[in-house]
Amino acid sequence: MDALEIERPGSWWDGIRPYVEKAPLAALALGISSGFPYAMIGATLTTRLAQGGIDKKTVTAFSLAFLVYNLKPFWAWIVDGVRLPVIGRLGQRVSWLIVAGLFVIAAVANLALVTPNSAAIMPTVIAAILVGVAGATFDIVIDAYRIEILEPRQLGVGSGMSQYGWRIGSAGAGALALVIAARGGWELAYFACASFALPAMLAGLIVGEPRRHHRVAARQSLGTMLTSIWGPFAQFFQREGALIVLLFILIHKIGDTLANLTFRLLFDDLKFSNDEIAFYDVGLGFWAYLIGIFVGGALYAKMGMKRSVTLALVLMAVSNLSFAGLAAAGHSNWGMAGAIGFENFSSGFGGVAVVAYFSALTDLRFTAAQYALISAAASIVGRFVTGTTAGALIERFGYVNFYLLTTVIALPGVFLFWWMSRSGLVDRSIGSAGGGEEEPVPGSGPLRRPVVAEGSEPPAP
């Protein structure tokens, strides 16, 4: 009787089981390794530069290092099509996971060895860019591997687990760096954080090559090589409404990115200590993010993709107002707790819904290249605006008006997705990774149907 009750539809076990399947657990490990390079050249480097006496304009200009992530579509096709010698016997995705992971470890170690100062800042700039290149390449492989090991029915859960992992990696590395730096220096902190590359590498070795991976044909001519490069772009842009979908991808996160990359400057100006930042921004923010992911996963399953993405976009836009309140309140632990809590809850919720939609947009023949295009486009405008204007805007208008501005900038993305949902464009934009049909690419040969587990279903509309 008990056994039957556990297995019947709607039981508590049915809600838990998707999270303990092999592919979502692997997505958790992949997320951990994906998140930590971002922390190394994001909040952690911002704190390191601010404590080194570097001026605000220079500090915010370092966010341009993230623009390397936005260039990854230009070499993502290599991860799809180039077989690595010797280690390639492990499989296309697994071999690239190992090589890219080693590249990240080396780049982070190199950043540890530079000492930032206003008189000679260029070595730090170069080291940060190298971490960006390594992290972007690692992300290309990680995203493709995650999408291909997940069945369409697992995209929501897998996206949530990936976001859990990303937060563990970014928050864990960020907290570890702060604690070790306060006691043993920034060099030791960065060396210790390099170990966060290992979970993805181990997941690849344990899980192996994904069943849904479509092998790219061997390159035999210049024509087939060129097709492998432009094919992912051609297949994406031949879809109905592709330019509108791309516009949404470009603008939906401008306000959120612009605000997020300046938080540490606000904390430094409000005289929060490293321990306070570690406790509230990293510690409390971590748990708020996890709760947001949990709620996001539950509501994604209940509300469907379109409504959950719309709600997520509203929450992420409004969350910027909490930092305007913190800036007005000054050094307030309660104010920081509220702002960090709301921001991270909203980001966690948004990560589940938005990442699931973006993953479902890809075609399994070009998983790495297309998701690289989507993820790069999702943040390029915000990162460019942050790197070129954020510091000047803060100095001119103050933090309160700056965060009010970021809220207004986020609203067009909310309204555009609402229109896309009402018009049916969201449903029509889904690719074969989300259970949709593959569309032909000129010169790419005959189509193949997606290799999907029997009984699997596309994400809820």
Side-chain angles (χ1 to χ4, degrees):
M1 185 69 168
D2 291 337
L4 291 175
E5 295 215 358
I6 290 176
E7 292 298 326
R8 72 183 182 186
S11 70
W12 63 270
W13 175 244
D14 291 312
I16 295 175
R17 180 164 47 198
Y19 290 92
V20 295
E21 293 174 345
K22 182 170 66 173
L25 287 175
L28 176 69
L30 295 168
I32 292 173
S33 295
S34 176
F36 99 93
Y38 188 95
M40 295 296 94
I41 57 175
T44 302
L45 185 57
T46 299
T47 300
R48 184 182 183 186
L49 294 171
Q51 292 180 352
I54 308 299
D55 65 89
K56 289 184 179 61
K57 290 182 180 179
T58 302
V59 172
T60 56
F62 264 84
S63 65
L64 292 174
F66 288 114
L67 286 176
V68 176
Y69 279 80
N70 302 107
L71 299 176
K72 60 186 180 183
F74 294 104
W75 71 89
W77 65 271
I78 298 174
V79 173
D80 274 334
V82 174
R83 180 181 173 87
L84 294 170
V86 184
I87 196 173
R89 296 176 182 177
L90 294 174
Q92 184 74 7
R93 297 301 185 214
V94 175
S95 60
W96 272 103
L97 273 175
I98 302 301
V99 170
L102 293 174
F103 184 20
V104 168
I105 292 173
V108 171
N110 179 63
L111 183 57
L113 298 176
V114 300
T115 302
N117 61 78
S118 55
I121 199 68
M122 191 52 64
T124 306
V125 172
I126 294 173
I129 291 174
L130 286 175
V131 174
V133 172
T137 305
F138 207 19
D139 264 8
I140 292 169
V141 192
I142 285 173
D143 289 331
Y145 189 74
R146 169 181 57 81
I147 293 169
E148 291 173 355
I149 62 174
L150 295 170
E151 299 173 11
R153 66 176 178 83
Q154 296 175 313
L155 282 178
V157 171
S159 296
M161 291 292 274
S162 176
Q163 292 301 301
Y164 272 127
W166 195 95
R167 187 59 179 180
I168 291 171
S170 61
L176 182 66
L178 287 171
V179 172
I180 294 179
R183 292 157 179 81
W186 285 106
E187 294 83 1
L188 181 61
Y190 272 77
F191 278 123
C193 289
S195 62
F196 279 78
L198 297 177
M201 300 163 72
L202 292 174
L205 290 172
I206 293 171
V207 176
E209 281 292 286
R211 290 191 304 114
R212 296 212 299 162
H213 174 53
H214 285 194
R215 294 183 62 185
V216 179
R219 309 293 182 230
Q220 297 180 356
S221 68
L222 179 61
T224 55
M225 176 69 77
L226 292 176
T227 298
S228 72
I229 297 174
W230 64 260
F233 298 91
Q235 193 280 331
F236 182 87
F237 285 108
Q238 72 183 5
R239 304 180 193 184
E240 179 186 352
L243 291 178
I244 297 175
V245 174
L246 179 61
L247 177 63
F248 167 72
I249 293 170
L250 286 169
I251 71 172
H252 85 284
K253 204 176 179 181
I254 298 176
D256 191 58
T257 302
L258 189 59
N260 271 289
L261 293 176
T262 62
F263 290 160
R264 288 294 177 89
L265 289 176
L266 173 64
F267 301 155
D268 187 64
D269 278 357
L270 294 181
K271 308 303 181 186
F272 285 102
S273 66
N274 275 6
D275 287 342
E276 286 174 324
I277 295 173
F279 180 79
Y280 290 105
D281 188 21
V282 182
L284 177 64
F286 172 79
W287 291 108
Y289 194 86
L290 297 191
I291 294 171
I293 293 173
F294 178 80
V295 174
L299 291 184
Y300 182 92
K302 195 174 187 67
M303 299 169 61
M305 180 165 59
K306 290 181 288 189
R307 283 180 289 178
S308 60
V309 171
T310 302
L311 177 57
L313 294 171
V314 172
L315 288 175
M316 289 191 292
V318 175
S319 68
N320 291 349
L321 292 176
S322 61
F323 286 93
L326 175 60
H331 189 134
S332 166
N333 288 342
W334 283 108
M336 188 177 191
I340 289 296
F342 186 29
E343 162 64 26
N344 282 274
F345 174 86
S346 302
S347 295
F349 186 103
V352 173
V354 176
V355 170
Y357 172 51
F358 287 170
S359 299
L361 286 173
T362 61
D363 185 290
L364 288 170
R365 291 166 294 174
F366 312 112
T367 314
Q370 286 192 344
Y371 196 85
L373 170 66
I374 292 167
S375 60
S379 57
I380 186 171
V381 179
R383 286 172 179 170
F384 180 78
V385 172
T386 301
T388 56
T389 67
L393 288 172
I394 291 171
E395 291 181 351
R396 181 174 180 180
F397 298 113
Y399 284 108
V400 175
N401 289 332
F402 172 77
Y403 290 119
L404 291 175
L405 177 63
T406 63
T407 303
V408 173
I409 291 174
L411 296 180
V414 179
F415 292 119
L416 179 58
F417 189 82
W418 174 82
W419 178 84
M420 290 167 58
S421 299
R422 293 295 298 268
S423 67
L425 183 57
V426 170
D427 297 317
R428 296 194 298 273
S429 64
I430 299 301
S432 61
E437 292 291 330
E438 291 181 348
E439 297 180 12
V441 178
S444 63
L447 289 179
R448 293 170 48 193
R449 279 188 167 273
V451 183
V452 181
E454 185 177 347
S456 64
E457 299 177 1

